[in-house]
Amino acid sequence: MNKQQHNRYQRQIRLASIGEKGQQRLLDSRVLIIGLGGLGSPVALYLAAAGVGELVLSDYDVVEESNLQRQIIHTQASIGRLKVESAKERLLAINPELKISCLPHQLSADELQDQCSKADVVVDCIDNFPGRFLINKACVETQTPLVSGAAIKLEGQVTTFDSRLKTSPCYQCLYTDEGVEGATCEREGVVAPVVGVIGTMQAQEVINVLLGKSALTGTLMIFDAQYLDWQRITLLKNPVCPICH
Ligand SMILES: [Zn+2]
C-alpha cells in the first residue's frame, strides 16, 4: 500500500478488525455487482469509497427520470445513459484508482457463471425473481458467496448465501421458482431510503465476507421502514433443494 492509499483509508486501517492487512485484502478483491439501481447505488458507492479494488458492474438498463427518486448514484444528467456507464463515471470520481469494468448487456448463463467464478463476492441488486434464481445457481455452481438484498414498498431484506460452506442455504432453499412472477417496485412502489438502508447493509456485509467475517450467512434480516424495526430470522438449508443439496 502506498502513502496515498494509507492516507485515504486511514479510518479503516485504524480498526483492529481491518488494519493494513484487511485493507490490502479489500484492495485486492473483485466484486460483481448485478443491478445498478436502488440497491446497487449504495453498494457500489460504499464499496468504491471503502477501497474494494475491482468492481464489475452488470446492468443493461438506461437511466430514466423515475429512477432518480432512489438510484442515488445517477444524476439528472445521466438520463438516457447506460446505468453502468453513469455509475462508473461517478465511482471513478470518488476513487480514481479503482478498476471498474462494465457489462451493459443481459448476461447469458455461461457468461454469468464465468463472471461469478472470477468474483470474490457477488452482490444481487436486481428487482426480479427469475434473475435472482439464475444468479443463485451460478453462485452455487462456482462456490461464490452471494450477498442478496431486496426492497419493496416499506420493507427490505438482506442475507448472504455462501455455498463454500456445506451448511449454508441458497436462495432456492427459501423460494421456489415455479410460477412466481413476484412483486416489483414498478407496480408496488418503494420509499427511497429503504433501498439505501438495505444496500448499505449489503455493502457492509460484502466487506465482512471479504474479510472472512460474514454476519448474515444463514441469517435473514427483515427491515420494516414504517416502524424502523429489524427482524432476524435463521435460515436453514433445504435438504432436497434442487440447486444446492
Ligand atoms: Zn438451496
Side-chain angles (χ1 to χ4, degrees):
M1 206 179 309
N2 61 39
K3 205 175 159 190
Q4 197 194 347
Q5 288 172 317
H6 210 275
N7 188 44
R8 178 182 282 259
Y9 305 117
Q10 53 173 286
R11 300 293 195 282
Q12 286 175 179
I13 292 170
R14 197 158 290 166
L15 294 168
S17 58
I18 299 183
E20 275 201 44
K21 206 174 145 198
Q23 186 61 51
Q24 190 59 54
R25 184 178 288 198
L26 299 182
L27 288 166
D28 294 339
S29 294
R30 176 181 171 119
V31 173
L32 170 62
I33 303 172
I34 307 181
L36 270 300
L39 298 171
S41 290
V43 167
L45 288 167
Y46 271 119
L47 294 183
V52 172
E54 188 170 357
L55 299 176
V56 182
L57 312 178
S58 169
D59 198 315
Y60 53 87
D61 269 344
V62 296
V63 179
E64 296 175 31
E65 189 173 26
S66 63
N67 298 152
L68 299 178
Q69 162 254 7
R70 67 201 176 283
Q71 303 185 10
I72 58 169
I73 202 167
H74 311 296
T75 66
Q76 186 75 23
S78 316
I79 292 174
R81 295 184 68 198
L82 280 165
K83 287 185 181 179
V84 288
E85 295 294 343
S86 156
K88 179 179 178 178
E89 196 173 290
R90 179 83 185 277
L91 297 173
L92 288 175
I94 293 169
N95 195 343
E97 71 171 11
L98 298 180
K99 194 170 166 199
I100 298 180
S101 45
C102 297
L103 304 168
H105 53 272
Q106 185 144 25
L107 302 183
S108 68
D110 284 350
E111 207 176 352
L112 180 61
Q113 190 163 350
D114 181 49
Q115 287 297 335
C116 289
S117 73
K118 290 178 185 158
D120 295 298
V121 178
V122 175
V123 202
D124 178 353
C125 300
I126 65 170
D127 61 355
N128 69 82
F129 279 96
R132 289 182 190 281
F133 289 112
L134 294 174
I135 294 168
N136 177 65
K137 188 165 183 273
C139 285
V140 171
E141 281 167 358
T142 58
Q143 297 213 316
T144 313
L146 170 62
V147 176
S148 173
I152 195 157
K153 296 199 270 192
L154 282 153
E155 189 180 293
Q157 56 184 52
V158 54
T159 186
T160 299
F161 305 109
D162 189 344
S163 53
R164 296 173 302 180
L165 307 171
K166 279 208 167 75
T167 52
S168 170
C170 81
Y171 188 76
Q172 198 128 1
C173 291
L174 311 186
Y175 300 102
T176 165
D177 59 355
E178 281 169 33
V180 231
E181 203 189 321
T184 65
C185 292
E186 194 176 341
R187 279 199 301 270
E188 310 276 336
V190 64
V191 187
V194 178
V195 292
V197 169
I198 299 299
T200 304
M201 288 278 280
Q202 285 180 281
Q204 179 61 50
E205 174 65 355
V206 168
I207 290 172
N208 292 344
V209 173
L210 291 173
L211 298 176
K213 295 165 186 164
S214 166
L216 295 181
T217 302
T219 298
L220 177 71
M221 299 289 292
I222 301 176
F223 178 61
D224 178 336
Q226 181 70 70
Y227 296 99
L228 295 180
D229 198 15
W230 286 97
Q231 227 187 315
R232 177 183 282 261
I233 294 174
T234 299
L235 301 180
L236 296 174
K237 194 179 175 90
N238 173 2
V240 293
C241 173
I243 301 298
C244 75
H245 84 281

